[in-house]
Amino acid sequence: MNRRVRVRFAPSPTGPLHMGGVRTAMFNYLFAKQNGGDFLLRIEDTDQKRFVPGAEDYIMEALAWCGMSFDEGIREGGKFGPYRQSERKDIYIKYAQQLLDTKQAYYAFDTPEALEDMRTRLENEKSSVRQYNAVTRSGMKNSYTMSDDEVKQQIASGEPYVIRFAMPENENVTMNDLIRGEIIVNTQELDDKVLFKSSDGLPTYHLANIVDDHLMEISHVIRGEEWLPSLPLHVLLYRAFGWTETMPQFAHLPLLLKPDGKGKLSKRDGDRLGFPVFPLAWKDPETGEFSSGYRESGYLPEAFVNMLALLGWNPGTEQEIFSMSELIEAFNMSKISKAGAKFSVDKAKWFNQHYIKNCADSVLADYFKPILAQHQVDVCDDYLLKVVPHVKERVVLIPDFWEQAAFFFQTPMEYNPNSIKKHWKEDTAAMLAGVKSVLESVSEADFSTHNTEERVKQYISDNALNMGKVLNPLRLVLTGTGGGPHLFDIVSVIGKDETLKRIDLGLEKIV
Ligand code: GLU
């Protein structure tokens, strides 16, 4: 019988979610939805020292912004809960005990100093082994070197301890990764990882992660490549618990690389090259440090999702534009690359421009309203909806809207000196006065792009004038600058009164 697909996104709430984390969540989501399975959120907060307030909410808000929702999680609930590991404390002790009982884990009482001494000693001896493992554990303070009574006594006296996994000595562990294929690692390269700490009564990531994936019936673990080195331990833990039969399948996603391909994409790269590495802006509650987000920088969630999906995955065709539902359909684990994926800010912008261009005017209008409010511009929806179609092709990021469209909302008070120099000649004022009188004769009801254009062009040809010599200064007085949408679209949107007013103002101010 085929197993139900159940995948989880399992972030640790240690700060804002990096865009790589969003991609991990997304690939889990796509895989779950494609297979009619479940997508879970599990908060891995067993490392209490690294807990950051607000991070959980941030993670959920970021994924909701991207259009992903969970079937089970800390807000949604579900029959495999609780979904926050700190609330599952009692569960893990039992499993740590199971490993102790079967001699696959053991107590260790070494102080941090003793561990440091061990490392220094091994280093001085130029030993090929530098870690706590089958070779070195015999020289340390643990269940192997102490009698049962001594161990019991130490625990009873409240001495802090950890429970370590007894890594088998010199064994080849064979693993399978859905992206990387078969991987074999010898246990000599691995150490006796700590599974549980008495100091806080909490399991470490490894124990909690395996126990929860098992209890939550996770079928596939899809996570970042940085977890690949933990895979042998995880596979051995499944074996130690006797859960090999139901062990999930694993897929480790390629890293997101800096634009030059040299190393992992970090916040510093973003700061240096001017792009966010987080989906939403974040202010560190302790340091107050601010990090920009894609949302606040003016990216549409559809563009962000589309861009991320193609970092490390490809559809095997030339298609680049994918909605979330198209991604669900097209996603295929076998098309995930092993090699790291280079991030490109130009590509991110290209996607954004595409989605803005294709966005419904009314939706875009809602994106633009806060920008207008920032500039104390108060306009009715009808007017804004007239402007939007004329500028949407020119906006790459939402805040560009102001630069592209300010003149639709404000009479220019200054004129670009270069444009003046280029377009304002001796005969300009007379020609614009002529344009004004022509436009004055067009009724307000007829003040359309077509009518105004026809009349002005008629005036130009009747008087054998040069088109550019008339239209360029007209644009200058209407917009304060050069460039922008079709001139007569501007004329018709701002309307008759405003057009005439701006011509007068230009004639008065530009000399
Ligand atoms: N808590 C781990 C993280 O923060 C989860 C790793 C995993 O998916 O197993 O990425």
Side-chain angles (χ1 to χ4, degrees):
M1 198 187 83
N2 263 348
R3 198 172 175 192
R4 179 168 181 81
V5 167
R6 285 177 57 79
V7 294
R8 83 307 191 265
F9 180 52
S12 299
T14 54
L17 187 61
H18 185 277
M19 58 197 272
V22 181
R23 188 198 56 175
T24 299
M26 195 203 305
F27 285 8
N28 274 282
Y29 175 80
L30 298 176
F31 187 69
K33 296 298 123 186
Q34 180 173 67
N35 290 287
D38 305 318
F39 176 52
L40 286 65
L41 173 67
R42 183 174 73 225
I43 296 291
E44 302 208 324
D45 58 349
T46 56
D47 190 351
Q48 300 274 296
K49 287 193 294 292
R50 296 181 61 216
F51 180 83
V52 174
E56 263 181 24
D57 286 342
Y58 177 98
I59 291 165
M60 290 184 282
E61 196 182 333
L63 298 185
W65 180 65
C66 294
M68 291 181 252
S69 58
F70 293 103
D71 300 300
E72 297 166 32
I74 55 172
R75 275 190 196 149
E76 298 73 9
K79 63 179 175 141
F80 295 86
Y83 292 89
R84 203 182 266 116
Q85 289 186 326
S86 57
E87 292 167 18
R88 301 171 63 81
K89 227 170 152 172
D90 299 341
I91 298 175
Y92 309 114
I93 299 173
K94 187 174 112 201
Y95 290 98
Q97 191 60 47
Q98 184 186 331
L99 295 184
L100 287 168
D101 293 345
T102 54
K103 303 259 177 287
Q104 298 179 93
Y106 62 94
Y107 291 108
F109 300 92
D110 313 279
T111 59
E113 294 77 34
L115 292 171
E116 194 48 47
D117 285 351
M118 174 188 92
R119 269 189 291 269
T120 322
R121 183 167 41 81
L122 293 171
E123 225 173 276
N124 291 342
E125 287 169 6
K126 304 237 174 316
S127 164
S128 58
V129 186
R130 296 279 161 92
Q131 50 208 15
Y132 211 119
N133 65 8
V135 178
T136 55
R137 67 172 87 111
S138 59
M140 304 301 287
K141 203 174 164 193
N142 53 44
S143 318
Y144 286 93
T145 57
M146 296 158 73
S147 70
D148 285 355
D149 281 349
E150 268 178 301
V151 168
K152 273 194 200 123
Q153 224 173 25
Q154 287 269 346
I155 294 172
S157 69
E159 206 52 37
Y161 65 86
V162 296
I163 297 174
R164 285 181 182 272
F165 182 63
M167 184 58 73
E169 195 175 355
N170 194 11
E171 183 191 324
N172 280 334
V173 186
T174 306
M175 299 153 281
N176 191 53
D177 181 274
L178 293 170
I179 299 167
R180 286 147 218 279
E182 190 178 86
I183 304 168
I184 301 173
V185 171
N186 190 284
T187 53
Q188 268 173 336
E189 293 167 33
L190 308 169
D191 61 344
D192 292 356
K193 274 272 178 301
V194 172
L195 300 178
F196 186 88
K197 299 184 277 16
S198 71
S199 56
D200 56 10
L202 285 169
T204 57
Y205 155 74
H206 301 291
L207 179 64
N209 186 272
I210 282 0
V211 167
D212 285 346
D213 281 348
H214 173 72
L215 296 179
M216 294 180 180
E217 299 181 6
I218 297 303
S219 62
H220 296 77
V221 167
I222 305 168
R223 62 184 172 190
E225 184 180 310
E226 64 273 26
W227 299 104
L228 195 56
S230 302
L231 184 58
L233 170 66
H234 292 180
V235 168
L236 289 171
L237 278 170
Y238 279 101
R239 184 174 83 183
F241 282 120
W243 297 336
T244 308
E245 288 275 294
T246 54
M247 182 170 78
Q249 297 189 61
F250 293 94
H252 289 85
L253 306 175
L255 289 176
L256 294 193
L257 303 177
K258 298 177 196 297
D260 64 6
K262 292 182 188 143
K264 214 169 138 178
L265 184 68
S266 72
K267 171 164 153 47
R268 232 173 309 130
D269 301 313
D271 293 343
R272 187 168 53 89
L273 300 167
F275 60 83
V277 296
F278 301 115
L280 317 179
W282 165 262
K283 191 168 164 211
D284 189 291
E286 256 180 35
T287 62
E289 188 193 1
F290 179 81
S291 305
S292 64
Y294 278 87
R295 180 177 66 184
E296 293 73 10
S297 301
Y299 286 84
L300 302 195
E302 295 83 358
F304 179 62
V305 161
N306 196 156
M307 177 269 297
L308 264 188
L310 291 172
L311 288 176
W313 171 81
N314 71 79
T317 65
E318 294 294 301
Q319 188 179 345
E320 287 194 285
I321 300 298
F322 287 92
S323 65
M324 189 69 102
S325 51
E326 287 168 331
L327 286 171
I328 292 172
E329 195 124 309
F331 186 70
N332 185 339
M333 202 93 85
S334 70
K335 289 270 189 288
I336 296 178
S337 71
K338 293 193 203 53
K342 257 193 265 177
F343 171 77
S344 155
V345 67
D346 291 338
K347 197 76 195 183
K349 287 183 175 167
W350 178 84
F351 277 113
N352 209 50
Q353 197 167 17
H354 169 87
Y355 281 95
I356 288 182
K357 223 191 284 181
N358 290 284
C359 188
D361 293 348
S362 59
V363 176
L364 272 185
D366 285 337
Y367 277 114
F368 295 148
K369 278 179 193 167
I371 298 174
L372 293 177
Q374 272 168 28
H375 290 90
Q376 281 86 42
V377 169
D378 189 17
V379 286
C380 63
D381 285 3
D382 280 356
Y383 186 76
L384 179 53
L385 281 173
K386 270 200 227 162
V387 175
V388 171
H390 301 300
V391 289
K392 65 198 282 192
E393 303 241 346
R394 301 168 177 276
V395 174
V396 178
L397 301 174
I398 295 292
D400 299 344
F401 174 67
W402 184 250
E403 200 188 310
Q404 295 298 335
F407 57 80
F408 279 113
F409 307 99
Q410 290 178 341
T411 308
M413 288 299 155
E414 281 166 20
Y415 304 91
N416 182 307
N418 288 335
S419 302
I420 296 180
K421 214 164 141 204
K422 206 158 149 202
H423 302 304
W424 205 271
K425 307 286 176 222
E426 251 167 50
D427 51 352
T428 303
M431 289 191 288
L432 282 192
V435 169
K436 188 189 159 198
S437 65
V438 163
L439 289 176
E440 249 167 351
S441 70
V442 182
S443 77
E444 221 170 303
D446 291 336
F447 218 74
S448 64
T449 304
H450 175 79
N451 290 344
T452 52
E453 179 163 8
E454 204 174 59
R455 296 293 287 276
V456 171
K457 288 193 170 159
Q458 190 63 52
Y459 162 79
I460 292 172
S461 70
D462 287 352
N463 295 281
L465 301 174
N466 171 298
M467 199 74 93
K469 281 181 136 182
V470 177
L471 299 187
N472 287 325
L474 179 59
R475 180 179 289 278
L476 177 63
V477 297
L478 295 184
T479 66
T481 178
H486 181 60
L487 182 58
F488 293 95
D489 282 338
I490 301 174
V491 167
S492 99
V493 170
I494 64 175
K496 184 171 175 181
D497 286 352
E498 184 67 20
T499 301
L500 301 181
K501 180 175 131 191
R502 290 187 190 190
I503 295 175
D504 279 342
L505 201 67
L507 289 173
E508 184 188 313
K509 287 191 144 188
I510 307 172
V511 278

